[in-house]
Amino acid sequence: TQLLEQSPQFLSIQEGENLTVYCNSSSVFSSLQWYRQEPGEGPVLLVTVVTGGEVKKLKRLTFQFGDARKDSSLHITAAQPGDTGLYLCAGADNAGNMLTFGGGTRLMVKP
Amino acid sequence: DTGVSQDPRHKITKRGQNVTFRCDPISEHNRLYWYRQTLGQGPEFLTYFQNEAQLEKSRLLSDRFSAERPKGSFSTLEIQRTEQGDSAMYLCASSPSSGSSYNEQFFGPGTRLTVL
């Protein structure tokens, strides 16, 4: 069974601060996706990382896939209140048949 | 709007009743997935379809749950004899079966089920 652990579970910071969210597993994934979810809505895809060591940037968000494709991180620079939400990482199996999600990191950015 | 749609968005039912949810995937996507998300947790995989064929089912999908995708387009998820433990957000996602976005799944807004 593939498991993904996210840390921290909760994070409350002031506007302008930087933060990093971690997603770790003992399993290798063919790709890893990061989603953001608002209350009462479905997850919205932010990025997909596929290659070990890959780094992708999306404005103030930087995503990294570990060299061994077992872990990933999301770094947010100068967080804004609009970044508030639940951040989920999800690993895809080799066939892309299902996603295994982490438990999520609930981020609150205070103005 | 060409994204994944789900209906209804909210459903309140009494224990023992049957409920059915519908998912319309992105039109050109062959794969359709169902997930369940309880409060404070990440989504958990339930089942997925490649066109009309149901190819994988999770152990979470008890005998009271059944999913169909008869024409390879929309899908339905039925829960029979609902229990309070079935209360959750039921999420549908779709993805193309090939190409660079092979593993990317796009989610609908979910159906929030409350069993009283």
Side-chain angles (χ1 to χ4, degrees), chain A residues 1 30-31 33 35 37 40-43 45 47-48 86 88 92-104 106, chain B residues 9-10 31 33 35 37 40-45 48 56 59 89 91 95 100 102-110 112:
Chain A
T1 303
S30 64
S31 67
Q33 293 158 41
Y35 292 85
Q37 186 176 25
E41 299 293 331
L45 181 64
V47 79
T48 299
L86 178 68
L88 294 159
D93 65 5
N94 286 333
N97 296 337
M98 58 177 281
L99 292 176
T100 299
F101 279 84
R106 190 163 300 280
Chain B
R9 293 293 308 276
H10 304 275
R31 292 192 168 197
Y33 308 80
Y35 291 82
Q37 185 178 26
Q41 303 294 322
E44 295 175 293
F45 171 78
Y48 98 96
E56 191 165 344
R59 292 172 300 168
M89 173 80 93
L91 294 163
S95 73
S100 61
Y102 180 79
N103 286 332
E104 292 181 338
Q105 297 181 21
F106 298 87
F107 283 80
R112 167 75 63 191

Side-chain angles (χ1 to χ4, degrees), chain A residues 39-109:
Chain A
E41 299 293 331
V44 175
L45 181 64
L46 296 175
V47 79
T48 299
V49 285
V50 179
T51 307
E54 183 177 6
V55 176
K56 280 191 174 179
K57 292 192 174 184
L58 187 65
K59 295 184 180 179
R60 294 175 294 100
L61 278 60
T62 302
F63 305 85
Q64 185 163 7
F65 203 10
D67 291 341
R69 291 188 291 140
K70 293 182 179 181
D71 54 84
S72 181
S73 64
L74 158 60
H75 182 79
I76 301 180
T77 303
Q80 298 177 1
D83 296 328
T84 293
L86 178 68
Y87 288 83
L88 294 159
C89 66
D93 65 5
N94 286 333
N97 296 337
M98 58 177 281
L99 292 176
T100 299
F101 279 84
T105 294
R106 190 163 300 280
L107 172 66
M108 178 176 290
V109 182

Side-chain angles (χ1 to χ4, degrees), chain B residues 29-66:
Chain B
H29 285 182
N30 296 328
R31 292 192 168 197
L32 185 149
Y33 308 80
W34 285 98
Y35 291 82
R36 183 173 70 185
Q37 185 178 26
T38 53
L39 208 59
Q41 303 294 322
E44 295 175 293
F45 171 78
L46 292 178
T47 188
Y48 98 96
F49 293 83
Q50 170 84 24
N51 298 313
E52 67 276 8
Q54 187 174 16
L55 297 184
E56 191 165 344
K57 291 195 291 187
S58 162
R59 292 172 300 168
L60 294 175
L61 213 65
S62 77
D63 292 344
R64 297 183 297 105
F65 287 69
S66 63

